[in-house]
Amino acid sequence: MLETVKYLIGSRGASGFGSKSTAEEVTETCPDLRSITAIITGATSGIGAETARVLAKRGARLVIPARNLKAAAEAKARIVSEFPNSEIVIMALDLSSLSSVRKFVLDFESLDLPLNLLINNAGRFAHHHAISEDGIEMTFATNYLGHFLLTKLLLNKMMETAKQSGVQGRIVNVSSSINGWFSGDMIRYLGQISRSKSQYDATLAYALSKLANVLHTKELAQRLKEMGANVTVNCVHPGIVRTRLTREREGFITDLFFILASKLLKTIPQAASTTCYVATHPRLENVSGKYFSDCNETWTSKLGSDSIEASKLWTASEIMVSEIKKGLETYTNRPTERK
């Protein structure tokens, strides 16, 4: 109850920011970003678009990958109209396709640009069951697996940039508090909904993908530490905001929910604040493997804190992005483990 009251009144936490803080506000004291190159997925609308706008305002060079290049061009035009000196590169990327992710990385590397900041923001809520070209349930493929491969393939570039520039690289994974709604065997459920729509539940599938984002952050942070890489990774919950993602579920129930929850909804500038804070604020130097909400570190779910689950998901993901069919068979048809 107390936490809800703090949220509603915008009470500021240890960071000096809270639920009512905006992306512009939290970046006011950040260092000059003119030497920073950032890749932001899902930057054509909603939270991602505001994140891109604010980082451009602070001087960062932006790379905007998008499946819809027209929407990306329009997003670029809006930013340039406000900040004419912005440097923005548009590139094709479909996160649900592993081959598209690989091509994007090759195309990006051909530009010979540095990479300081990777914001894995793109997300979808698929009301109707669908399977990616790689045989993976579409929500998981887009929200998690595509980002897992993207991060994996860009990591050397980020470490190289950090070493050459002396500026710590940062990876931000955008998750959601809904990650706590999932419990049980993640890989087994993924296998079930990737083979058949009979067990598909849109909300549960979304929660699964967001939990995977949290566990990816935890495991990657540990691996970066072991490698001695000058790159951090953290995870954020942006808050509840009505964006294109939620508008895919238009209808009486959805509209009623948003009317009742209107006092809890954030504006898009408020929702983008935690991402921008974690991506740019000097206070987050050397902070890695953490989960943030309302611009303050907080706890995630019990499953999201499980290092064993994080390691298991990583192993499964490595197999899925390399040998997709074999990976699914190996991890979804295995006997139930004894506790």
Side-chain angles (χ1 to χ4, degrees), residues 8 73 99 229 248 256:
L8 289 171
S99 63
E248 288 184 18
L256 179 61

Short mmCIF file of all heavy atoms in Angstrom, two decimals, residues 8 73 99 229 248 256:
data_model
loop_
_atom_site.label_atom_id
_atom_site.label_comp_id
_atom_site.label_asym_id
_atom_site.label_seq_id
_atom_site.Cartn_x
_atom_site.Cartn_y
_atom_site.Cartn_z
N LEU A 8 1.94 7.03 -6.69
CA LEU A 8 0.92 7.98 -7.10
C LEU A 8 1.34 9.43 -6.89
O LEU A 8 1.02 10.31 -7.69
CB LEU A 8 -0.39 7.70 -6.36
CG LEU A 8 -1.14 6.43 -6.77
CD1 LEU A 8 -2.30 6.17 -5.81
CD2 LEU A 8 -1.65 6.52 -8.20
N ALA A 73 11.89 6.29 -40.82
CA ALA A 73 12.20 7.57 -41.48
C ALA A 73 11.36 8.70 -40.89
O ALA A 73 11.83 9.82 -40.72
CB ALA A 73 11.94 7.44 -42.98
N SER A 99 18.11 -14.56 -38.90
CA SER A 99 18.92 -14.20 -40.08
C SER A 99 18.93 -12.69 -40.27
O SER A 99 19.95 -12.11 -40.68
CB SER A 99 18.38 -14.89 -41.34
OG SER A 99 17.06 -14.46 -41.64
N ALA A 229 35.26 -7.09 -18.81
CA ALA A 229 34.81 -6.12 -19.82
C ALA A 229 34.34 -4.83 -19.17
O ALA A 229 33.68 -4.85 -18.12
CB ALA A 229 33.67 -6.72 -20.64
N GLU A 248 -2.76 -2.96 -29.26
CA GLU A 248 -3.08 -4.14 -30.04
C GLU A 248 -4.22 -4.93 -29.42
O GLU A 248 -4.83 -5.77 -30.04
CB GLU A 248 -1.83 -5.04 -30.17
CG GLU A 248 -0.77 -4.47 -31.09
CD GLU A 248 0.39 -5.42 -31.26
OE1 GLU A 248 0.23 -6.62 -30.96
OE2 GLU A 248 1.46 -4.98 -31.71
N LEU A 256 -11.81 -0.43 -20.44
CA LEU A 256 -12.27 -0.32 -19.06
C LEU A 256 -11.09 -0.37 -18.10
O LEU A 256 -11.01 0.40 -17.13
CB LEU A 256 -13.24 -1.47 -18.74
CG LEU A 256 -13.79 -1.50 -17.30
CD1 LEU A 256 -14.56 -0.23 -17.00
CD2 LEU A 256 -14.68 -2.73 -17.11
#
